[in-house]
Amino acid sequence: MIKRVIAPSGTLRYVAPVRRGKAAGLKLKPRQVQTGQIGRNYSTGLWKNGAVNAGRASWWSVARRTDGVLMLQNRHISGSGQAQAQADVDSIEELGKVKDKRLVRTDAYVGGKWVAAAKGGRFKVADPATLQTIAEVADMSAEDVAQAVREASKALPAWRATTGKKRARVLRKWYDLVMENKADLARIMTLECGKPLAEAEGEVAYAASFLEWFGEEAKRTYGDTIPAATDGTRISVIKQAVGVVGVITPYNFPSAMIARKIGAAVAAGCTVVARPAHETPLSALALCELAERAGVPPGVVNMVTSSAANTQAVGLELTTNASVRKVSFTGSTGVGKMLMAQSASTMKKVSMELGGNAPFIVFEDADIELAARALVACKFRNAGQTCVCANRVYVHQAVYDAFLEALVAAARETLRAGHGLTAGTTVGPMITHRGLEKTLDHLRRAVDAGARVVLGGAQAKVGALRGHFFEPTVLADASDAVPMTGDETFGPLCPVYRFSSEEEVVRRANAVPVGLAGYFFSRDVSRIFRVAEALEVGMVGVNTGSVSTEVAPFGGVKESGVGREGSRYGIDEYLNVKTIHIAL
């Protein structure tokens, strides 16, 4: 008997035994169409084969057309495939396994104290893999944020007057504590944002690297001496802390974005009021606990948590409060524009690290295997929820089929969906339901326009887990005339486009309003310089899918934002340049 289930996303699912193209008396034609012909005229589902051979389950992707025709394609999922058996996960129990219980904080951190919201409000934080609530966190209002700004303003004079060397010692101690507590911090991160534990541990180390780096840079905020144009005059240039900084961070890197911004600000002598994403506040609060232990004085770092309902009011307070002299934001281009406009009311200095739509280009002379492996790592890290992940994959027509085969093989070999704390998981859930819905919409529209699903193509069923899982998906023969070409998907959906010339692909790569990162693979030295200089992005990866490190500047051009983070350029975003003219 066929079971029909409407999933929370509205997806229609069918489950029934399948034998030789027959199910529940219906004659089916598996090869009638390709998987993924899903759009306005189709609803999607899965048929599960009742037979299991050597631990390998056979599934059929299903599309039921509105005229009643069923269309199937066999897909196999095994221990080396895209999903694995999952035991039930009790997220609250797993959070209880954090060894240092003081790292699990649910109040805001203001003026060196852990405080509840003045109105007593709290909001829920859930594990996106199980949808189980793991904490209820203080829901700070705009009035609470204003109090945090006052605390930061009070602490500013003494901290700004502290020598760079002393600030460096504090940041180094903070770095050491983060690394000592890496396992606990990674567990907290996995439970609130879903990323696999190994990725979470990597992010903790990445976050710590900014504390170390900017601690060292605190001693190197050099000024300058300028030869004067007139006799008896001396001209000096010094750099001074901007003042109180408002920080707003996203959910996809809940530790790294906090550390990258606050590390630079604190090293420069600024004080900070930060608002982490409401989906992932626990990692930020844990970092505050360690900052306190490291000797960061009260009021220098303040963390105000708030619900989605209070987000706009909190952001407005940070961008319009005259005591806040700089705003640093990472997130979508649309929100960045709004915050920038609000910040203009008091002419604040701003740093905006905004959305991307990264091209990933494979030329005909590329190392195909290297490019395929790099793309899997670049695209599917954090379930595709990174601003620098490949969003548009362009492959030269001469190597298109070979690359597609290598890509699918690499993905099948390495990608395993599951709870982030389950051994072997390499792809966790999407963090938000709205992100899942957007990915599904992009998939449907792409397939409607003629794209073929060659891997994945549906929400993933992972044991008893109820979270926002989506199968790592690869689309062949993608068209430019679909939303995902011009709009960052921010999910594990990988469209592969064809191109025929260097001039053509550079033009198509640049035909978007944003420009954060771009990647290409080639062995032609001349081409490497031509294309790297021609791509309209802030960061280019050549024969690599990674552009993130604390020692190099991170940021984009066009509508991907303004300013740079990390590197020796990052601390300058938190400093003002002052010129001193002296007549002798």
Side-chain angles (χ1 to χ4, degrees):
M1 180 174 180
I2 300 176
K3 296 180 180 179
R4 296 180 10 138
V5 180
I6 302 296
S9 64
T11 300
L12 180 60
R13 291 190 176 277
Y14 306 83
V15 183
V18 175
R19 290 187 180 87
R20 297 183 180 274
K22 294 183 179 181
L26 294 174
K27 293 184 178 181
L28 308 174
K29 298 181 180 180
R31 297 184 181 278
Q32 185 170 349
V33 296
Q34 302 240 349
T35 303
Q37 294 198 354
I38 306 161
R40 290 185 296 272
N41 297 324
Y42 304 94
S43 56
T44 66
L46 290 174
W47 295 81
K48 183 180 180 182
N49 191 336
V52 178
N53 299 315
R56 186 173 183 178
S58 179
W59 292 78
W60 296 77
S61 292
V62 178
R64 180 190 285 273
R65 235 170 40 191
T66 51
D67 61 8
V69 177
L70 283 171
M71 297 162 293
L72 310 179
Q73 182 184 35
N74 195 317
R75 293 185 297 122
H76 294 290
I77 300 175
S78 67
S80 61
Q82 296 181 51
Q84 56 184 14
Q86 296 282 313
D88 288 343
V89 176
D90 187 320
S91 303
I92 296 175
E93 180 180 322
E94 292 296 335
L95 187 60
K97 293 179 183 179
V98 171
K99 293 179 181 178
D100 188 340
K101 306 303 182 188
R102 290 190 298 163
L103 291 177
V104 182
R105 294 286 188 172
T106 57
D107 282 337
Y109 186 68
V110 177
K113 299 177 181 178
W114 296 99
V115 298
K119 296 178 180 178
R122 305 192 84 80
F123 65 96
K124 295 179 180 180
V125 177
D127 177 350
T130 65
L131 305 188
Q132 186 177 5
T133 298
I134 58 174
E136 294 190 358
V137 178
D139 190 3
M140 308 296 273
S141 65
E143 292 74 18
D144 294 318
V145 174
Q147 176 58 33
V149 171
R150 287 190 287 271
E151 293 292 338
S153 299
K154 190 189 307 180
L156 178 64
W159 186 246
R160 183 159 50 187
T162 301
T163 66
K165 190 169 184 177
K166 291 180 179 178
R167 295 196 294 269
R169 289 195 192 113
V170 173
L171 283 164
R172 177 67 201 198
K173 180 61 175 175
W174 194 2
Y175 162 83
D176 289 338
L177 287 169
V178 170
M179 293 304 293
E180 289 169 12
N181 291 273
K182 182 169 70 171
D184 278 349
L185 294 172
R187 177 173 289 272
I188 292 169
M189 187 188 304
T190 292
L191 286 167
E192 68 175 345
C193 83
K195 66 179 58 180
L197 190 60
E199 278 193 28
E201 290 178 347
E203 183 184 334
V204 172
Y206 181 53
S209 73
F210 290 104
L211 303 179
E212 179 185 42
W213 172 266
F214 284 118
E216 294 163 350
E217 288 298 293
K219 298 177 286 186
R220 303 187 183 99
T221 54
Y222 302 126
D224 206 353
T225 299
I226 300 174
T230 57
D231 294 336
T233 302
R234 301 292 184 269
I235 303 174
S236 296
V237 175
I238 63 173
K239 295 179 180 179
Q240 294 180 307
V242 167
V244 177
V245 176
V247 166
I248 303 174
T249 59
Y251 56 70
N252 57 336
F253 287 96
S255 291
M257 297 302 96
I258 288 289
R260 190 161 75 184
K261 296 175 185 295
I262 294 181
V266 168
C270 299
T271 56
V272 178
V273 177
R275 189 270 179 185
H278 63 270
E279 296 93 346
T280 57
L282 302 182
S283 292
L285 294 173
L287 289 177
C288 285
E289 169 64 28
L290 296 179
E292 184 176 75
R293 297 182 199 178
V296 175
V300 171
V301 173
N302 304 273
M303 196 66 61
V304 289
T305 53
S306 67
S307 65
N310 274 337
T311 295
Q312 189 169 353
V314 167
L316 185 63
E317 179 63 31
L318 286 175
T319 53
T320 58
N321 189 309
S323 296
V324 177
R325 295 312 312 148
K326 176 183 170 66
V327 169
S328 179
F329 169 73
T330 294
S332 71
T333 296
V335 174
K337 288 179 178 180
M338 179 182 71
L339 295 175
M340 197 169 182
Q342 293 170 355
S343 296
S345 65
T346 51
M347 289 302 293
K348 299 187 195 311
K349 194 171 185 176
V350 296
S351 294
M352 297 282 160
E353 194 267 283
L354 308 178
N357 191 346
F360 188 106
I361 304 168
V362 182
F363 286 100
E364 67 272 26
D365 63 333
D367 182 328
I368 298 301
E369 296 295 331
L370 174 65
R373 292 193 302 271
L375 177 57
V376 170
C378 175
K379 175 62 203 179
F380 296 108
R381 180 171 62 114
N382 199 21
Q385 298 166 112
T386 78
C387 55
V388 293
C389 78
N391 206 61
R392 297 168 292 148
V393 181
Y394 298 100
V395 180
H396 193 278
Q397 59 187 11
V399 294
Y400 188 90
D401 292 338
F403 177 80
L404 200 62
E405 181 179 352
L407 172 61
V408 172
R412 288 192 186 279
E413 180 183 354
T414 59
L415 300 179
R416 295 168 181 82
H419 193 286
L421 295 179
T422 301
T425 293
T426 56
V427 181
M430 299 191 68
I431 300 170
T432 69
H433 182 70
R434 65 182 181 276
L436 175 63
E437 286 295 301
K438 181 178 181 180
T439 304
L440 283 167
D441 180 65
H442 278 193
L443 170 64
R444 294 184 184 114
R445 290 171 180 266
V447 172
D448 235 13
R452 295 183 293 115
V453 177
V454 294
L455 182 73
Q459 288 182 246
K461 175 65 176 175
V462 183
L465 301 181
R466 301 184 298 116
H468 310 126
F469 290 95
F470 189 87
E471 294 176 344
T473 297
V474 177
L475 299 178
D477 300 329
S479 165
D480 284 350
V482 292
M484 68 181 176
T485 302
D487 181 20
E488 182 181 30
T489 300
F490 221 64
L493 178 61
C494 181
V496 185
Y497 305 77
R498 297 176 188 265
F499 74 91
S500 58
S501 71
E502 179 182 314
E503 181 183 14
E504 172 205 341
V505 77
V506 169
R507 174 180 53 77
R508 290 168 68 187
N510 290 337
V512 292
V514 294
L516 187 57
Y519 310 89
F520 68 92
F521 284 71
S522 174
R523 303 183 209 191
D524 184 326
V525 175
S526 296
R527 171 180 281 156
I528 286 172
F529 281 95
R530 286 197 307 270
V531 176
E533 293 172 4
L535 289 177
E536 296 173 356
V537 296
M539 299 168 287
V540 179
V542 182
N543 295 325
T544 179
S546 176
V547 294
S548 300
T549 170
E550 77 278 13
V551 304
F554 189 103
V557 298
K558 299 197 287 189
E559 292 189 15
S560 284
V562 294
R564 290 296 181 268
E565 296 187 325
S567 79
R568 69 184 180 90
Y569 301 100
I571 198 168
D572 285 341
E573 300 289 334
Y574 298 88
L575 295 166
N576 285 327
V577 173
K578 178 180 285 186
T579 307
I580 302 173
H581 297 259
I582 304 173
L584 302 179

